[in-house]
Amino acid sequence: MSHTDSDSLIKEVSSTVRQLADIHTDDRSLTTLCPQGLPSLQNVKEIITLLWKLMFPELFIERTSIVSKLEYRIGITTERLFELLQQEIAIGLSCRGKGERSISDNNPEAHDLSVKIIGFLPELKRMLYTDIHSIMRKDPAAGNEVEIILCYPSVKAMLHHRFAHLIFTMNIPYLPRIISELAHSQTGIDIHPGASIGEYFAIDHGTGVVVGETCVIGNNVTLYQGVTLGAKSFRYDEEGVPMNVPRHPIIEDNVIIYSNASVLGRITIGHDTIVGGNVWVTDSVPPYSRIVQSGIRTESFTNGAGI
């Protein structure tokens, strides 16, 4: 490289660096949105790994015939989970408001929220097993509980979601969405952590399922691949910013929604309803409804004539 070329490269790089350093949003540096730093993706992934171990210790914690030894390993795993939760929640809290909160290990709010989460783990496990049992009852291809835990994306999505939903209710920024998006990237199932989902929830296959933030889903609900529970439209404030108001469906108990159906808007699908595949639902329906496509027309063509 000649001296002239070198000078040109240095000049171009210097200009690029200055321009990149000036990038901001709404007249604020991005660092002002979370001045104490961001949650660690590596730590969040470890939190999820620890959750798998605690939810299903027989499968994911070192096998032993001594019950006390298993309880000891569960205890060690729980301590590590608490440590990571306290650290990441403290960072999340620092992103709430103006960042005046401390991210030290002595942050009392992060400590108390982490204790609350640890106390919720038995309930999380109970709810996950209702989801597993629902799949067992509804899918003849499911061999046993172990196969479902190891192989079914629905279980992974719901472990992430039920955990993320709890953190979401604590008003901790970023962390719930990170947890949800980890499941989304691995399963193709996109459930916003704000969605409220009851017991015995099953997703068959799962690819392309979308559940919006303000969805309320009852007990014993089944979704098939490609189902969208989304918003039909948005309300805007005086400044033209979308308002975060209830805008997604309410799905009552014992509802089945088949593949590629779209249920949109703040409507209610009454209990014990079946929504057929590839339908578009934008109005509430009463309990015990059957929503299907209109009848198809069958025609024959010869060598493509008439197409």
Side-chain angles (χ1 to χ4, degrees):
M1 179 182 295
S2 67
H3 182 72
T4 301
D5 291 339
S6 178
D7 288 345
S8 176
L9 175 61
I10 292 172
K11 181 178 180 180
E12 189 63 37
V13 169
S14 298
S15 173
T16 298
V17 168
R18 286 193 300 271
Q19 292 179 67
L20 292 175
D22 287 341
I23 290 178
H24 57 277
T25 176
D26 298 331
D27 297 323
R28 296 177 297 173
S29 167
L30 291 175
T31 56
T32 65
L33 300 176
C34 213
Q36 301 293 339
L38 296 173
S40 163
L41 183 58
Q42 180 178 350
N43 284 349
V44 175
K45 289 180 177 179
E46 185 178 351
I47 286 171
I48 297 301
T49 298
L50 295 171
L51 272 180
W52 278 102
K53 291 182 177 182
L54 293 174
M55 295 301 99
F56 312 109
E58 313 94 308
L59 299 180
F60 300 115
I61 288 184
E62 181 181 357
R63 291 175 179 266
T64 176
S65 60
I66 304 174
V67 174
S68 62
K69 181 65 175 295
L70 178 60
E71 292 177 352
Y72 172 77
R73 296 298 299 167
I74 291 174
I76 295 297
T77 304
T78 304
E79 287 182 3
R80 175 60 177 163
L81 177 62
F82 177 81
E83 175 187 346
L84 290 174
L85 282 173
Q86 186 172 359
Q87 177 179 332
E88 296 307 315
I89 288 174
I91 292 174
L93 293 176
S94 75
C95 301
R96 197 173 68 189
K98 299 182 179 180
E100 70 278 4
R101 301 173 184 274
S102 169
I103 62 171
S104 72
D105 292 338
N106 296 322
N107 184 315
E109 186 175 5
H111 176 277
D112 292 345
L113 291 174
S114 300
V115 170
K116 181 179 179 180
I117 291 172
I118 295 299
F120 178 77
L121 294 182
E123 175 64 7
L124 174 62
K125 181 173 182 176
R126 186 194 68 80
M127 295 186 74
L128 282 173
Y129 267 97
T130 70
D131 301 332
I132 293 167
H133 294 156
S134 181
I135 294 171
M136 276 293 298
R137 292 201 310 263
K138 298 172 182 177
D139 186 1
N144 54 52
E145 288 87 349
V146 173
E147 180 180 339
I148 292 171
I149 293 167
L150 294 178
C151 304
Y152 278 58
S154 179
V155 176
K156 177 174 289 188
M158 290 311 295
L159 183 147
H160 283 241
H161 172 72
R162 295 198 185 282
F163 186 68
H165 181 69
L166 174 66
I167 300 174
F168 181 87
T169 63
M170 297 175 175
N171 194 30
I172 300 170
Y174 305 129
L175 192 57
R177 292 299 300 270
I178 293 172
I179 293 170
S180 294
E181 287 306 315
L182 286 174
H184 182 198
S185 65
Q186 295 170 17
T187 67
I189 298 170
D190 183 3
I191 306 177
H192 192 285
S196 175
I197 301 179
E199 300 177 1
Y200 295 94
F201 181 68
I203 304 176
D204 199 353
H205 302 293
T207 305
V209 166
V210 176
V211 179
E213 176 185 8
T214 62
C215 272
V216 178
I217 299 177
N219 297 324
N220 193 37
V221 170
T222 302
L223 308 181
Y224 283 78
Q225 67 272 16
V227 167
T228 296
L229 304 180
K232 183 174 64 174
S233 61
F234 305 105
R235 292 169 55 189
Y236 296 88
D237 63 19
E238 296 178 353
E239 298 180 356
V241 177
M243 299 172 63
N244 190 2
V245 297
R247 59 198 180 277
H248 300 103
I250 298 171
I251 311 297
E252 294 185 346
D253 297 348
N254 308 316
V255 169
I256 301 174
I257 305 179
Y258 282 97
S259 58
N260 299 310
S262 295
V263 183
L264 306 178
R266 193 59 167 184
I267 62 176
T268 298
I269 305 299
H271 63 80
D272 297 278
T273 287
I274 294 177
V275 179
N278 296 296
V279 299
W280 186 276
V281 186
T282 57
D283 294 303
S284 295
V285 297
Y288 300 103
S289 296
R290 299 294 182 268
I291 306 172
V292 296
Q293 295 186 41
S294 59
I296 62 172
R297 184 178 67 180
T298 302
E299 297 182 6
S300 298
F301 301 99
T302 301
N303 296 325
I307 297 179

